[in-house]
Amino acid sequence: MRKNIDDLFRIVSEITLVPSEALPERLGFQANNQDRDNFQSLLGVMRTVTILHHLDFVEIQPLCPTDKRPEADLLAMRQGVKFAIEVFRSNEDTARYLGLNLEDYIERRYKKDKKIQLDETMSNHTCSKAILVVVLDSKSSELFSKNDLQEAAKESFREMGFPDNTHLIIFSEIEGDVTVEDGLAIFQELPP
């Protein structure tokens, strides 16, 4: 486990060009915060960086958290288009299932605070598009097939109100020989 975390720090450092030792602070990790979700959130954003890299995003930059205004977690470029990217976890404590409570949860979080963060970041950093990333860390994610994830992304996006210039990425834990695409769903396809 420790080696996997060390490898993740090394890989994310190479992708973002941020030194490993500076990544936690740049990604909003609060060293004094003993809540286990604090560390899991850091890992969720770092895993998102690797997935974005796999999806041909470049110039992936963490945005330092600020008290002045809400902002997304990351900025990135793809095909000459700048994206604001906000990441949140569906935590391990609450199982969420397709057609039961997952879509409502994503819609509620988006409308409550994530949309504001994405809109502010798009405005402040002249982004053309936004991505909301949902990391499924709960054991319930093991029950989702690739088709289930895609259906969850489609239905969640519908619940979000089909926001303009926004994409939704949902991914679950990706381990072993499974490819990234097997544990990943995107709604509104990214432009080629």
Side-chain angles (χ1 to χ4, degrees):
M1 171 80 113
R2 172 68 194 256
K3 183 184 178 326
N4 292 346
I5 292 172
D6 289 344
D7 287 346
L8 183 60
F9 270 89
R10 179 186 50 76
I11 291 166
V12 171
S13 177
E14 289 171 4
I15 292 170
T16 62
L17 303 177
V18 174
S20 291
E21 61 276 3
L23 275 172
E25 183 178 347
R26 286 283 305 272
L27 294 172
F29 179 73
Q30 302 160 345
N32 299 353
N33 184 343
Q34 297 299 311
D35 184 351
R36 70 184 168 100
D37 287 339
N38 183 37
F39 185 64
Q40 291 298 329
S41 293
L42 170 68
L43 294 179
V45 175
M46 291 176 66
R47 289 169 39 213
T48 298
V49 168
T50 64
I51 285 174
L52 292 172
H53 180 73
H54 176 79
L55 294 171
D56 299 323
F57 282 84
V58 295
E59 299 178 34
I60 302 169
Q61 305 170 29
L63 287 173
C64 289
T66 175
D67 292 333
K68 295 178 184 171
R69 63 181 181 261
E71 283 205 321
D73 295 305
L74 303 165
L75 294 175
M77 297 287 291
R78 187 171 188 274
Q79 305 294 328
V81 177
K82 192 181 217 179
F83 288 80
I85 301 147
E86 175 59 15
V87 181
F88 78 91
R89 292 176 52 246
S90 172
N91 69 32
E92 298 169 0
D93 296 334
T94 304
R96 293 191 168 82
Y97 299 100
L98 175 63
L100 180 60
N101 57 358
L102 178 63
E103 300 88 349
D104 292 338
Y105 173 69
I106 291 171
E107 178 256 344
R108 193 170 51 252
R109 290 291 309 270
Y110 172 73
K111 289 182 176 175
K112 178 182 175 195
D113 55 356
K114 303 306 178 183
K115 181 180 183 329
I116 293 166
Q117 288 174 264
L118 288 167
D119 289 347
E120 284 287 324
T121 305
M122 288 178 71
S123 175
N124 294 331
H125 296 274
T126 60
C127 300
S128 302
K129 294 188 174 267
I131 300 175
L132 179 66
V133 178
V134 181
V135 182
L136 297 177
D137 280 340
S138 70
K139 291 295 182 189
S140 59
S141 68
E142 294 172 1
L143 303 174
F144 290 175
S145 68
K146 175 156 180 58
N147 288 340
D148 290 339
L149 280 175
Q150 191 61 42
E151 185 65 21
K154 179 181 173 185
E155 289 303 311
S156 297
F157 197 77
R158 182 181 60 75
E159 291 291 322
M160 291 164 52
F162 297 102
D164 291 337
N165 300 316
T166 301
H167 301 270
L168 174 64
I169 294 177
I170 300 176
F171 73 87
S172 60
E173 187 65 38
I174 300 163
E175 294 181 9
D177 295 331
V178 177
T179 63
V180 168
E181 290 85 3
D182 290 334
L184 172 74
I186 302 171
F187 194 77
Q188 295 239 95
E189 274 187 47
L190 295 168

